[in-house]
Amino acid sequence: MGKHWKIVTVVGARPQFIKAAAVSRVLRQKHEEILIHTGQHYDGNMSDIFFEELHIPRPDYNLGVGSGSHARQTAAMMVGIEEILLKEKPDYLMVYGDTNSTLAGAVAASKILIPVIHVEAGLRSFNMAMPEEQNRILTDRISRFLFCPTETAVNHLKDEGITRGVYNVGDVMCDAVLYYSREMEKNPSAFYFGRLQGLFHPIEPVGRWYLATIHRAENTDSLEKIRSVLGAFEQLDAPVLFPVHPRTKGMVRELCAAHDYGNILFTEPMGYLDMLYFTRNAVKAITDSGGLQKEAYILDTPCVTVRDQTEWVETLNGGHNVLARPQTQDILDKVRHTVIDRSNRPPYYGAGRAAEQILEILDSAG
């Protein structure tokens, strides 16, 4: 029987809240958790319904840092987190993934000798131009516990000489997807097109659809790339449901003023449960989001990823996920012609028990 821990968890964006909720459900049965929201990303979907619908604990602290340059944002978060750590005196600090909030929390704790727990350790894109890659590598270097989602991640750390405190526990996002899928199945009629808020006009129901999300800087740094992506969506054989990220809203609005994209259903960002529903029932997902690639795999929905590489390399096996350039014809070719080998779909991300394994390991460490 392990001791009673006091753990400070740092999150900064909506996906991190969802991952943290999967662990909090288990952690809070025996331990104390203090939740810090850095406010790195403002998300209008994080309303009361977000917390209520997903049974997510509300933050104990909200730093409200907001956007800014990487240096200013990270520095402001470090100052705020350190102040809370000195006040709360936790046994551990827990961070998720690869955002600036992740790095800020890890550095602030490490400097005052509070052990760091990194959930989703060991992911690598091998592209050091990505801020996320820098964040995850630096966080891994100063973490006491490195909880990896896959064996690939364990091997990445081993290649870098990191073997101590490394565990493959499976993916906490798999925990969340399976948990909330079961919740949805209790009341499936609650999820429908009428819940969606159209960006330009109301969304009419359709029987078949593709689900698309495009928001990474590498795809949104020019109007031409977005035009090419939308050009592909316009030629597909079913409507494309496209929740528009705030980063791309201005570009999309400009392009739609000059062209009528009749095959694309533009919506405001969706709630998490709606995303799960529309992903699970889509013909395919088309995305540059790491989270959606993985969710599509877990939900057995084919995926085309509009990027040069993916951290989730396992999903490429058997054609469940394929990479495409942000060019109209390449996207069309990959969406139309990729054939999935459904006999080759191992449970790379675990069986939905990552949170339990994390707590078992921490308990045994005590």
Side-chain angles (χ1 to χ4, degrees):
M1 184 72 175
K3 65 175 284 189
H4 175 83
W5 300 113
K6 182 177 185 179
I7 297 177
V8 165
T9 296
V10 175
V11 292
R14 182 173 71 141
Q16 291 180 325
F17 269 93
I18 295 162
K19 294 168 191 173
V23 177
S24 293
R25 269 190 292 276
V26 180
L27 188 159
R28 294 183 181 217
Q29 292 173 16
K30 292 168 56 179
H31 305 288
E32 179 183 0
E33 182 183 36
I34 306 295
L35 188 59
I36 301 174
H37 179 20
T38 64
Q40 176 178 341
H41 294 160
Y42 172 76
D43 191 329
N45 278 317
M46 285 180 55
S47 58
D48 288 345
I49 189 71
F50 172 78
F51 293 96
E52 292 162 9
E53 195 171 56
L54 301 180
H55 316 135
I56 289 178
R58 292 177 182 274
D60 299 284
Y61 297 93
N62 192 328
L63 302 181
V65 168
S67 58
S69 73
H70 287 291
R72 285 183 180 276
Q73 188 183 65
T74 306
M77 290 189 290
M78 286 175 62
V79 170
I81 292 167
E82 182 188 58
E83 189 176 300
I84 295 166
L85 293 177
L86 292 171
K87 173 186 172 186
E88 295 288 352
K89 298 181 175 59
D91 298 292
Y92 293 108
L93 174 127
M94 185 179 290
V95 290
Y96 292 80
D98 54 23
T99 65
N100 287 345
S101 300
T102 306
L103 180 62
V107 172
S110 182
K111 292 282 189 181
I112 54 177
L113 305 181
I114 294 172
V116 176
I117 300 165
H118 187 198
V119 179
E120 285 192 325
L123 299 185
R124 298 292 183 266
S125 68
F126 303 101
N127 178 3
M128 282 299 291
M130 291 176 62
E132 295 89 350
E133 183 78 350
Q134 298 167 25
N135 291 342
R136 58 174 76 110
I137 287 173
L138 294 168
T139 300
D140 283 341
R141 282 285 167 186
I142 55 176
S143 294
R144 171 81 62 84
F145 288 94
L146 299 99
F147 292 121
C148 299
T150 64
E151 198 59 35
T152 302
V154 172
N155 290 331
H156 288 158
L157 293 172
K158 186 177 180 180
D159 290 343
E160 296 171 14
I162 303 173
T163 56
R164 188 177 179 185
V166 176
Y167 303 89
N168 179 8
V169 295
D171 198 316
V172 294
M173 187 54 87
C174 183
D175 291 21
V177 170
L178 296 178
Y179 174 84
Y180 290 120
S181 292
R182 289 192 295 270
E183 291 296 297
M184 277 196 307
E185 285 161 8
K186 293 176 183 176
N187 187 19
S189 63
F191 302 94
Y192 53 92
F193 276 87
R195 284 167 59 102
L196 305 182
Q197 184 179 350
L199 190 63
F200 305 118
H201 45 69
I203 300 297
E204 296 296 327
V206 295
R208 294 175 70 248
W209 64 85
Y210 294 90
L211 179 72
T213 66
I214 301 291
H215 72 273
R216 284 187 181 266
E218 64 208 70
N219 288 325
T220 60
D221 59 5
S222 80
L223 203 61
E224 279 310 306
K225 287 182 181 177
I226 295 292
R227 182 182 283 115
S228 295
V229 171
L230 297 186
F233 293 173
E234 188 64 10
Q235 296 179 54
L236 290 175
D237 62 343
V240 179
L241 192 56
F242 185 7
V244 180
H245 191 279
R247 179 182 289 159
T248 57
K249 188 175 289 188
M251 284 182 163
V252 166
R253 199 178 296 277
E254 182 177 342
L255 290 170
C256 287
H259 185 91
D260 179 22
Y261 292 99
N263 197 49
I264 306 176
L265 308 176
F266 296 100
T267 78
E268 296 288 350
M270 292 184 198
Y272 180 67
L273 293 183
D274 291 306
M275 278 296 290
L276 281 186
Y277 173 83
F278 286 105
T279 302
R280 185 170 65 178
N281 295 290
V283 179
K284 285 188 177 179
I286 308 165
T287 188
D288 57 12
S289 161
L292 185 53
Q293 292 172 55
K294 190 169 42 174
E295 288 161 356
Y297 184 87
I298 295 165
L299 294 167
D300 198 23
T301 297
C303 185
V304 173
T305 295
V306 186
R307 286 180 63 192
D308 294 328
Q309 73 278 318
T310 176
E311 294 80 1
W312 306 108
V313 293
E314 305 84 9
T315 62
L316 301 177
N317 297 334
H320 295 276
N321 185 15
V322 293
L323 303 178
R325 296 183 299 277
Q327 298 167 2
T328 299
Q329 196 56 50
D330 196 42
I331 294 171
L332 285 172
D333 288 344
K334 298 296 170 54
V335 172
R336 289 170 173 169
H337 303 307
T338 301
V339 178
I340 287 177
D341 177 9
R342 283 205 158 86
S343 67
N344 178 21
R345 188 172 164 269
Y348 292 119
Y349 304 113
R353 287 197 72 256
E356 283 87 349
Q357 291 189 66
I358 288 170
L359 269 298
E360 287 166 8
I361 292 164
L362 291 178
D363 279 346
S364 67

